Amino acid sequence: MAQDKSSESKTRRPRAETPKGFRDYFGAEVTERKAMLDKVAEVYHRYGFDPLETSAVETVEALGKFLPDVDRPNEGVFAWQDEDADWLALRYDLTAPLARVAAQYRNDLPSPYRRYAMGPVWRNEKPGPGRFRQFYQCDADTVGAPSVAADAEICAMLSDALETVGIPRGDYVVRVNNRKVLNGVMEVAGVLDPSDPTRFEAERGIVLRAIDKIDRLGEGGVRALLGEGRRDESGDFTKGAGLGAEQAEVVMAFMAARRDTGAATVAALRGLVGASVIGGEGVAELETIAELLDRQGYGSDRIVIDPGVVRGLGYYTGPVFEAELTFEILDEKGRKRQFGSVSGGGRYDDLVKRFTGQSVPATGVSIGVDRLLAALRAKGRAGGEGAGPVVVTVMDRDRMADYMGMVADLRNAGLRAEVYLGNPKNFGNQLKYADKRGSPVAVIQGGNEAEKGVVILKDLILGAKIAENATLEEWKDRPAQVEVPRSELVAAVRKMLGQ
Amino acid sequence: MAQDKSSESKTRRPRAETPKGFRDYFGAEVTERKAMLDKVAEVYHRYGFDPLETSAVETVEALGKFLPDVDRPNEGVFAWQDEDADWLALRYDLTAPLARVAAQYRNDLPSPYRRYAMGPVWRNEKPGPGRFRQFYQCDADTVGAPSVAADAEICAMLSDALETVGIPRGDYVVRVNNRKVLNGVMEVAGVLDPSDPTRFEAERGIVLRAIDKIDRLGEGGVRALLGEGRRDESGDFTKGAGLGAEQAEVVMAFMAARRDTGAATVAALRGLVGASVIGGEGVAELETIAELLDRQGYGSDRIVIDPGVVRGLGYYTGPVFEAELTFEILDEKGRKRQFGSVSGGGRYDDLVKRFTGQSVPATGVSIGVDRLLAALRAKGRAGGEGAGPVVVTVMDRDRMADYMGMVADLRNAGLRAEVYLGNPKNFGNQLKYADKRGSPVAVIQGGNEAEKGVVILKDLILGAKIAENATLEEWKDRPAQVEVPRSELVAAVRKMLGQ
């Protein structure tokens, strides 16, 4: 298209669009998320956790991406250079800011420091369907508590939080594993040398990734990856970890070590890690966690020891946990599948060390807010639209004060109400507006009604029902339209709302 | 300092600091703000406003700062270039995103569209004491309603919101003015020519700034600025608007036009704007607003017509309003002063026009969240610290399961409780921790108590009082320490908390 550039630049209008990968949230989307997070916060508060709201903007170096040699250190984060040459960036999670806070305020914060944080994070990644570049996280962490009692507490709190927001017991399970046990297994399998932790790093990486693929590849596929390697359907070859059959057997046995009770699982794991010191530590930690939770009444219907939890094991240093929703939903192709993970966490060292040089133990959990909200919607447990306002229509532009007096009366009685503020000429538009607003009742007062001192109330919910298929009884019992004295407006609306 | 650069770069630790001008919010700071905003949202909801949460990131062109000729279009905003060359930026207010949303979703949104928004905004400005580069705003706007009934509604809602969060009637006033009246006055004073609105622009700017300075300069100073100009104490000369005495008198009379009742003020303004068409329109609008509010019961103890409201008049196109807190506080130098403005707004056109080319009327209000919160704190109306958790101390590391069972019992009874998770060796540290947490009660169970099946409860609030100056009666009435059976833990803690 040939265009006159100069006139184009004068009249050019900005596009009314969010940047790619960003979105807006309207009405019930905001309300539902807020209601869910409020309930989670209530549980966290009862556990003694305090809210922390950090700045959305951090220095890039605090985020741990400080690379002085590159021109623009923003792989994965949104970053820009400040006027005094500092690189700033939007936080990409809530853990890095916690580390910075724990270091910055280490002399003022209670120790251990329990905090929760809820808010948006930003990822500079390729957006995709349902994959946004700004999304909410909801984290709880304990900094400065070395004991696995802190991990057990997080697991119990996660379980309570899920039930409080509306996931019934039986529809979820918190699965607990321990990175140290896996290290012990690696040792027994001969791919970890405690005297030289850097040896076999590549092999361990392959083993971790193989374990993580069990659901997709099955036992045979994982065995191939633990051994020489695997050629997939497209013919591509993935190099394996090169483990012998006996070595691979240790790893396979680890993945299958879950038993009916925590005690039995712990016993099986103890057998697997053999003489490995780190493995023995990990098993003892799992045993303690299981005992602490059991004594608080968190049985295997809520929290289980499960060696199958591997996701993100590389990042953690001790116990790891994951909350999985076990009910089935239909995916976009109409196939049944389990809802899956909505939360994960674990113990991680070196949180604060990067800033202060001193090691500070920490453990915590992160809830995927959008996924949990989707789960509540799937279960019909989210708040839904909520009640629309009573709409007072405008029959006579000159009597706006009367109409506003009506909404004032309704609001003062605690009812949600608004007067129609568009062009009142076309009455049909006013009812269409009320419909769009999800309004339960329309209030109408024309000149005749005003003279008689009455108002007409239109029951829009019943009206819609009648239009569809309400029975005569329903109609008689609760007429879709009534005339009441103006002085009885509030009482009559209340009655129509069934309050 | 001579330093080995290469070793420095290897061991260099990031600074644990927020970027300049950014800050963190802890505990009660988060809770208090949330409680206040929840109350405001409740009022907005009752008025039929729906929540809207837009992306924090917008394209620079949507923010209205699109300047293709400059290398980095981020004057005042934090901006960066996306990988596909788009400039993105953090929103600097909640109005520009509303304009974008109103344009983007114009076929789906109800019209008029009432929405509220609460969230952080970012300003790339020099930070100063108490002046941050990220702060909260809380806005409510009605898009698509040309009638001043929409403006009146916003004023009533603002008044309700202030009272609901805890500003008592009498401690605030919502002041209403109208940009059109000022234009009428400018016309009468001869600095606005309706047939050529660009004439006298510089003079009008000087007049506006002069009016805005009445508090600081007094009548004489303003008169000087309306006339030839003014030399201040330092000897600097500010050029005046060059109005003759009669012209200046019109402006001075406008500023002094507030009377005891809205009707009297309106009458005074009507006299001042004379034959000006735009001025007459403005006066009629103020009259309608006054009448609508009066009929809803918002008298001059809450909302007044006040020509003295000038701040930001340049931006608005019709009614403007401002909520002022009228009680006195002591400033940092111990001098009494009025708390001042906490909210402002008005009617503004061309909100959506920039995107669509079609004019869409809009009116709205913005609450300065931090200022209103500061006011509530000054009045003792903010939530304060809130109750710290009951702290269960650890006398015997091996009985952690017992201690966690105690906190579980307390939590299940709805009480806020936590077990001490630090190193339990030094018991004094545990009580210091409880103190830092604002804990009301410490629970203690050593070996002896465990054998006897009892726990010791320490009343930390009374304990602190006794340490200061509690009377003997208080001590007898409510001993600072009791021993109770383990089975009565919850009941006894409840009693100690006075529940």
Side-chain angles (χ1 to χ4, degrees), chain B residues 47-182:
Chain B
Y47 271 77
F49 285 66
D50 277 340
L52 169 66
E53 190 173 312
T54 61
S55 159
V57 179
E58 296 274 351
T59 61
V60 165
E61 66 164 17
L63 290 182
K65 301 253 174 181
F66 191 69
L67 304 166
D69 295 334
V70 300
D71 191 39
R72 197 156 179 238
N74 67 340
E75 272 310 303
V77 302
F78 292 104
W80 64 90
Q81 203 162 11
D82 205 10
E83 63 266 18
D84 50 6
D86 276 348
W87 278 92
L88 307 183
L90 292 174
R91 64 182 175 213
Y92 65 95
D93 67 13
L94 300 174
T95 310
L98 170 62
R100 196 257 308 146
V101 164
Q104 185 171 352
Y105 300 94
R106 61 188 181 280
N107 298 323
D108 306 311
L109 291 172
S111 177
Y113 175 49
R114 290 172 173 98
R115 84 90 177 81
Y116 67 87
M118 297 171 167
V121 300
W122 293 267
R123 301 272 167 95
N124 194 357
E125 292 166 353
K126 276 266 163 288
R131 187 186 166 90
F132 294 97
R133 307 208 286 177
Q134 171 179 333
F135 53 92
Y136 263 70
Q137 285 195 337
C138 168
D139 282 24
D141 295 83
T142 302
V143 178
S147 143
V148 291
D151 302 280
E153 177 174 90
I154 296 270
C155 292
M157 188 165 75
L158 178 56
S159 166
D160 283 9
L162 292 174
E163 292 187 17
T164 301
V165 301
I167 306 290
R169 201 169 301 179
D171 270 354
Y172 75 92
V173 64
V174 176
R175 309 192 300 155
V176 184
N177 195 6
N178 194 310
R179 170 76 216 229
K180 292 179 185 170
V181 176
L182 183 65

Side-chain angles (χ1 to χ4, degrees), chain A residues 29-42:
Chain A
E29 293 176 307
V30 179
T31 319
E32 283 177 355
R33 182 177 60 206
K34 182 177 182 304
M36 185 182 87
L37 290 177
D38 282 357
K39 283 180 193 162
V40 172
E42 200 188 297

Side-chain angles (χ1 to χ4, degrees), chain A residues 427-496:
Chain A
F427 187 69
N429 278 349
Q430 300 198 43
L431 289 185
K432 263 185 219 153
Y433 171 84
D435 186 50
K436 201 161 198 168
R437 297 289 288 125
S439 172
V441 177
V443 180
I444 303 162
Q445 191 192 54
N448 289 344
E449 286 85 23
E451 265 174 45
K452 282 162 61 187
V454 299
V455 291
I456 293 168
L457 304 187
K458 216 171 146 63
D459 185 331
L460 298 175
I461 292 166
L462 183 60
K465 253 206 214 162
I466 289 171
E468 273 177 44
N469 52 9
T471 65
L472 184 61
E473 283 69 34
E474 282 175 322
W475 191 89
K476 271 190 190 162
D477 187 46
R478 196 159 154 250
Q481 192 164 312
V482 292
E483 189 182 291
V484 299
R486 165 66 180 85
S487 58
E488 287 168 27
L489 170 67
V490 171
V493 168
R494 274 233 170 88
K495 195 178 160 205
M496 203 166 257

Side-chain angles (χ1 to χ4, degrees), chain A residues 12-20 22-27 30-31 33-34 38 45-59 61-62 66 72 78-84 86 88 90 100-101 103-105 107-114 122 124 126 133-134 136 142 144-147 149-150 152-153 160 291-292 295-296 353-357 387 389 400-402 404-405 408 411-412 414-422 433 436-437, chain B residues 12-20 22-27 30-31 33-34 38 45-59 61-62 66 72 78-84 86 88 90 100-101 103-105 107-114 122 124 126 133-134 136 142 144-147 149-150 152-153 160 291-292 295-296 353-357 387 389 400-402 404-405 408 411-412 414-422 433 436-437:
Chain A
R12 191 176 179 287
R13 292 189 196 124
R15 282 162 299 164
E17 282 170 15
T18 48
K20 259 193 300 295
F22 292 90
R23 57 163 296 196
D24 305 302
Y25 297 83
F26 292 88
V30 179
T31 319
R33 182 177 60 206
K34 182 177 182 304
D38 282 357
H45 178 263
R46 201 158 68 228
Y47 271 77
F49 286 66
D50 277 340
L52 168 67
E53 190 174 310
T54 61
S55 159
V57 178
E58 297 275 351
T59 61
E61 66 165 17
F66 192 69
R72 193 151 183 245
F78 292 103
W80 64 90
Q81 203 163 12
D82 205 10
E83 63 268 16
D84 50 6
D86 277 347
L88 307 183
L90 292 174
R100 196 258 307 147
V101 164
Q104 185 171 352
Y105 300 95
N107 297 324
D108 305 313
L109 291 172
S111 178
Y113 176 49
R114 289 173 173 98
W122 292 267
N124 194 356
K126 275 268 163 287
R133 307 208 287 177
Q134 171 178 331
Y136 263 70
T142 302
S147 143
E153 177 174 271
D160 283 9
E291 187 198 333
L292 289 173
R295 284 286 290 280
Q296 285 179 76
K353 195 177 185 179
R354 210 160 51 80
F355 294 100
T356 62
M400 189 55 99
D402 292 339
M404 292 192 83
R411 286 171 187 153
N412 289 337
L415 297 170
R416 192 177 193 210
E418 56 178 53
V419 70
Y420 181 72
L421 284 179
Y433 171 84
K436 201 161 198 168
R437 297 289 288 125
Chain B
R12 189 176 179 287
R13 293 190 195 122
R15 282 162 300 165
E17 282 170 16
T18 48
K20 258 194 302 295
F22 292 90
R23 57 163 296 197
D24 306 302
Y25 297 83
F26 292 88
V30 179
T31 319
R33 183 176 59 207
K34 182 177 182 306
D38 281 358
H45 179 263
R46 201 158 68 228
Y47 271 77
F49 285 66
D50 277 340
L52 169 66
E53 190 173 312
T54 61
S55 159
V57 179
E58 296 274 351
T59 61
E61 66 164 17
F66 191 69
R72 197 156 179 238
F78 292 104
W80 64 90
Q81 203 162 11
D82 205 10
E83 63 266 18
D84 50 6
D86 276 348
L88 307 183
L90 292 174
R100 196 257 308 146
V101 164
Q104 185 171 352
Y105 300 94
N107 298 323
D108 306 311
L109 291 172
S111 177
Y113 175 49
R114 290 172 173 98
W122 293 267
N124 194 357
K126 276 266 163 288
R133 307 208 286 177
Q134 171 179 333
Y136 263 70
T142 302
S147 143
E153 177 174 90
D160 283 9
E291 186 199 332
L292 289 173
R295 286 285 290 279
Q296 285 179 74
K353 194 177 184 178
R354 210 160 51 79
F355 294 100
T356 63
M400 188 55 100
D402 293 339
M404 291 192 82
R411 286 171 188 154
N412 290 337
L415 298 170
R416 193 178 191 208
E418 57 179 50
V419 70
Y420 181 71
L421 284 180
Y433 171 84
K436 202 160 198 170
R437 298 288 289 123

